[in-house]
Structures are given as structure tokens and as C-alpha cells.
Amino acid sequence: THKQGLANNFVSSIIQDKTGNIWFGTNGGGVSYYNGKSFMTFGKNQGLTNDYVLCLLEDNKGTIWFGTDGGGLYRFNGKQMVIFTDNDGLTNNTVLNLIQDEDGNLWIGTREGLNKITKQNLEKLSLAMSGSRNLDPEKEALFCKVGFNDGFIGYTCRKNAVFKDSHGKIWW
């Protein structure tokens, strides 16, 4: 609860990472994680421009992703937090769901469509964040927009309404 250190009692998303920490996306308090002893919070004071966190994902490299209600997509590698918005090619700044497919691609469902960051772009992004490579968003599109012609029949995604089945097929 908030009394025990959670950022906000209104929780919209929960995940457990590979090391056992439990992450909570909250409605108005940002993201809290619990390491089994105490809470740590990432909110506006720690760099979030929007502290309404709708969805969370830990990718296969251990990076935590936060989707916010109007503030874009955040990537946290344990040391550094980076924000991605519609200025970077995201279809909309309200990120409603996140999932990673069997090939390592990251799928981002927004209020105005579906986006994908390919495994190759995730690797480029990791190198750019470590300082060993520059990523120029004007020359390299980070986000691929997925629409009707690609098999996505919806215009918008629903909050946390995504599922990967036992065969690796993703359902929206």
C-alpha cells in the first residue's frame, strides 16, 4: 500500500522481473518496484513526464518498459531511463499494452494503432544507450507502424488486452 511505500494505491499493471523484484505501474504515482524489503519509485521527480503508467514489460534482455497515459514509452535498463514519444515515430503517446514476440521484437499497442521495434533496432538502441553507438532517429526509423495492410484490423488497442499463447502467437 501507499502507507508501506507504494507510489499510489491505484495499480494498473504488475510484473515480476527475472531477479524477483515486483514492479507496479500506478495511476498517478509512476512506477514502484519492490525488492522484497522496500519500495523504490520512479515518478515525475525521477524523470517521468507522465506518472499514469498503464502497462509494464520486462524484455528478454532484462530491460523494463513502461507505457504511460499520454506521456509515451519509457525504457529503463537499470541505470538510465529514456522516453520515446510520437516525435520519435510512436503512433500515439498513450501506450496501452506491451509484449515481446518469440523473435525478440517489441510490440507496442497505442490509442492510435500498433507499433513494432524490431530485434535489430532493440540491439541498436542498447548499443546507443551504452554509448558505443549513435542512433540517429532522423536516419533510422526506430518504430515500424503496423496497420490494416499488415494484418492488424483494429485502429486502437485496449489497455493490457494482449496475450501470447503457448505457440508464440500474439492476440490483440
Side-chain angles (χ1 to χ4, degrees):
T1 67
H2 182 67
K3 190 174 185 178
Q4 296 163 313
L6 184 65
N8 186 304
N9 285 335
F10 299 100
V11 175
S12 57
S13 186
I14 303 172
I15 63 167
Q16 185 172 22
D17 68 23
K18 292 175 178 106
T19 62
N21 296 316
I22 300 174
W23 295 77
F24 302 86
T26 70
N27 292 333
V31 175
S32 292
Y33 78 88
Y34 182 69
N35 64 10
K37 296 178 184 169
S38 62
F39 283 95
M40 174 78 166
T41 296
F42 300 99
K44 287 188 175 180
N45 291 339
Q46 292 76 29
L48 293 183
T49 59
N50 184 303
D51 54 8
Y52 286 80
V53 177
L54 303 176
C55 54
L56 297 164
L57 172 81
E58 180 183 26
D59 69 21
N60 60 11
K61 303 286 185 190
T63 300
I64 305 293
W65 296 83
F66 319 151
T68 67
D69 187 7
L73 175 68
Y74 288 82
R75 180 186 189 276
F76 180 64
N77 66 2
K79 298 176 188 147
Q80 187 179 16
M81 194 171 327
V82 176
I83 181 174
F84 302 98
T85 67
D86 55 0
N87 292 332
D88 301 302
L90 195 59
T91 55
N92 185 271
N93 288 332
T94 298
V95 177
L96 299 164
N97 57 59
L98 297 164
I99 198 161
Q100 191 167 34
D101 67 24
E102 298 295 313
D103 295 325
N105 301 306
L106 181 66
W107 295 84
I108 304 109
T110 75
R111 184 168 282 151
E112 292 183 13
L114 188 60
N115 301 260
K116 176 173 80 169
I117 304 177
T118 64
K119 176 184 177 182
Q120 293 79 13
N121 280 348
L122 286 171
E123 290 168 1
K124 289 177 188 176
L125 187 57
S126 291
L127 290 171
M129 286 185 73
S130 70
S132 60
R133 183 183 189 284
N134 289 328
L135 184 66
D136 185 351
E138 297 204 6
K139 294 181 183 169
E140 302 177 76
L142 182 61
F143 296 96
C144 303
K145 295 174 183 155
V146 179
F148 186 79
N149 292 337
D150 305 301
F152 182 67
I153 60 172
Y155 169 72
T156 186
C157 295
R158 298 283 180 207
K159 181 179 164 192
N160 291 321
V162 62
F163 174 74
K164 183 168 48 173
D165 68 22
S166 61
H167 302 287
K169 185 174 182 177
I170 298 175
W171 300 79
W172 277 273

